[in-house]
Amino acid sequence: RKEVEQDPGPFNVPEGATVAFNCTYSNSASQSFFWYRQDCRKEPKLLMSVYSSGNEDGRFTAQLNRASQYISLLIRDSKLSDSATYLCVAMDSSYKLIFGSGTRLLVRP
Amino acid sequence: NAGVTQTPKFRILKIGQSMTLQCTQDMNHNYMYWYRQDPGMGLKLIYYSVGAGITDKGEVPNGYNVSRSTTEDFPLRLELAAPSQTSVYFCASQPLSSGGSYEQYFGPGTRLTVT
């Protein structure tokens, strides 16, 4: 079983739609979680961190459910520029990052 | 600040050849990492370093070596290139935790093909 699992997608949605990604992690000792965004053929960049019960940043909301060991990312009012791959990341007990394989999002006009 | 820089951007190697992937950061970060990313996959940790003179293996270290003689530089060495090492290699750096932030800053990557 992979340590961090994501639906690879692609999620193909129209502009303005709301889309949600889920991610599960297997190591219950993981303390911190993140969503990174990766554009095609580019390096990953931090989108947002997910601490305790989750947090919101503009159109993006991240939630953490420790009991079920899953993290979610909600994107409201999708823009064309949101098209990218979203990587779910867990930090292990020695502060190393464990990456999921990513979920690809395509936002169409 | 240039951030994290990597050279070269692209490289084609023949089986058995050697090369060094360069990584430099100018943010005075203590932690540095090397990852590889195969098509459609997440990043896998090859090696990491918590400071100059200290390195440790990650998830997939076989076939690679690293050194960290300065805070700024963290080169990755491939001694005997194999087709299985065809991948995109990312270097990243991270400061000591500051206010609970564990953000890693990535370089633009090196695309390596071994034929």
Side-chain angles (χ1 to χ4, degrees):
Chain A
R1 183 184 173 189
K2 291 181 183 176
E3 287 195 61
V4 177
E5 292 205 67
Q6 298 180 248
D7 181 341
F11 286 63
N12 191 324
V13 303
E15 269 188 293
T18 295
V19 61
F21 307 139
N22 291 325
C23 159
T24 58
Y25 61 96
S26 60
N27 186 350
S28 59
S30 298
Q31 291 296 312
S32 296
F33 305 90
F34 311 89
W35 285 100
Y36 275 72
R37 171 191 168 129
Q38 186 173 26
D39 292 300
C40 188
R41 302 177 75 83
K42 298 286 190 181
E43 71 272 23
K45 293 184 179 177
L46 181 66
L47 176 66
M48 57 197 303
S49 303
V50 187
Y51 295 123
S52 60
S53 59
N55 49 293
E56 186 173 311
D57 183 2
R59 297 181 294 109
F60 299 84
T61 301
Q63 293 283 343
L64 169 63
N65 184 319
R66 288 191 185 276
S68 302
Q69 294 186 202
Y70 84 77
I71 308 125
S72 63
L73 177 68
L74 184 76
I75 305 175
R76 290 181 297 277
D77 189 23
S78 299
K79 311 291 185 193
L80 294 176
S81 57
D82 293 334
S83 296
T85 297
Y86 292 83
L87 302 170
C88 178
V89 185
M91 187 169 70
D92 71 12
S93 55
S94 53
Y95 302 102
K96 296 196 291 294
L97 299 186
I98 310 299
F99 286 79
S101 300
T103 298
R104 191 168 166 219
L105 173 64
L106 300 171
V107 181
R108 64 181 187 271
Chain B
N1 271 357
V4 180
T5 57
Q6 292 183 239
T7 57
K9 286 188 169 51
F10 305 93
R11 183 74 185 267
I12 299 174
L13 280 183
K14 293 190 186 306
I15 294 171
Q17 285 186 320
S18 302
M19 77 165 294
T20 299
L21 283 67
Q22 302 290 346
C23 175
T24 300
Q25 53 95 6
D26 62 0
M27 298 174 282
N28 201 33
H29 288 171
N30 287 73
Y31 297 99
M32 294 188 75
Y33 306 83
W34 273 106
Y35 296 92
R36 60 177 286 172
Q37 185 176 33
D38 298 329
M41 304 295 288
L43 281 72
K44 293 191 184 299
L45 183 64
I46 305 171
Y47 270 95
Y48 66 102
S49 169
V50 300
I54 306 169
T55 62
D56 209 345
K57 295 178 181 178
E59 183 184 355
V60 289
N62 290 346
Y64 307 94
N65 276 301
V66 293
S67 60
R68 183 97 182 269
S69 56
T70 66
T71 299
E72 294 78 20
D73 300 306
F74 190 40
L76 177 73
R77 179 84 179 158
L78 282 71
E79 289 295 348
L80 289 171
S84 60
Q85 293 178 303
T86 294
S87 191
V88 180
Y89 291 84
F90 289 104
C91 178
S93 72
Q94 179 185 322
L96 285 175
S97 174
S98 173
S101 171
Y102 298 98
E103 180 176 359
Q104 290 190 11
Y105 297 80
F106 285 81
T110 294
R111 295 183 178 277
L112 176 68
T113 301
V114 182
T115 61

